[in-house]
């Protein structure tokens, strides 16, 4: 059975490492943001695994850039 690779820009949720590469920020910064904003809708916790909702996080990054 062949494993299918989905490009990062097409994924709905990203791992911390994928998000760090895609958004060009560090993994520590992403984890710090998740810890500082526990109710943020762009973070998803699957047990202890942190996932980032790509489209929502992109919109949030755009808002931060406008400041």
């Amino acid at each position: 059975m062949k494993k299918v690779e989905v490009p990062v820009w097409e994924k709905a949720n990203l791992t911390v490492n994928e998000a760090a590469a895609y958004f060009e920020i560090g993994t520590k910064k992403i984890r710090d943001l998740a810890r500082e904003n526990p109710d943020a809708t762009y973070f998803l916790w699957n047990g202890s695994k942190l996932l980032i909702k790509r489209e929502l996080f992109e919109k949030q990054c755009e808002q931060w850039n406008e400041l």
Side-chain angles (χ1 to χ4, degrees):
M1 185 173 217
K2 187 176 180 181
K3 185 176 179 181
V4 177
E5 290 291 327
V6 178
V8 174
W9 58 88
E10 291 184 5
K11 289 185 174 184
N13 300 310
L14 305 175
T15 65
V16 173
N17 289 335
E18 289 171 336
Y22 184 75
F23 294 106
E24 297 180 353
I25 57 178
T27 57
K28 185 177 184 320
K29 181 63 177 179
I30 292 173
R31 291 187 187 282
D32 288 345
L33 287 169
R35 193 172 18 262
E36 294 166 4
N37 303 289
D39 296 329
T41 59
Y42 41 85
F43 292 123
L44 173 67
W45 289 94
N46 183 7
S48 62
K49 183 176 182 177
L50 174 61
L51 297 173
I52 295 84
K53 296 179 183 179
R54 183 184 51 79
E55 289 182 358
L56 291 176
F57 195 70
E58 281 178 352
K59 290 176 185 174
Q60 181 61 45
C61 288
E62 289 172 5
Q63 288 178 356
W64 287 329
N65 286 334
E66 290 174 359
L67 298 177

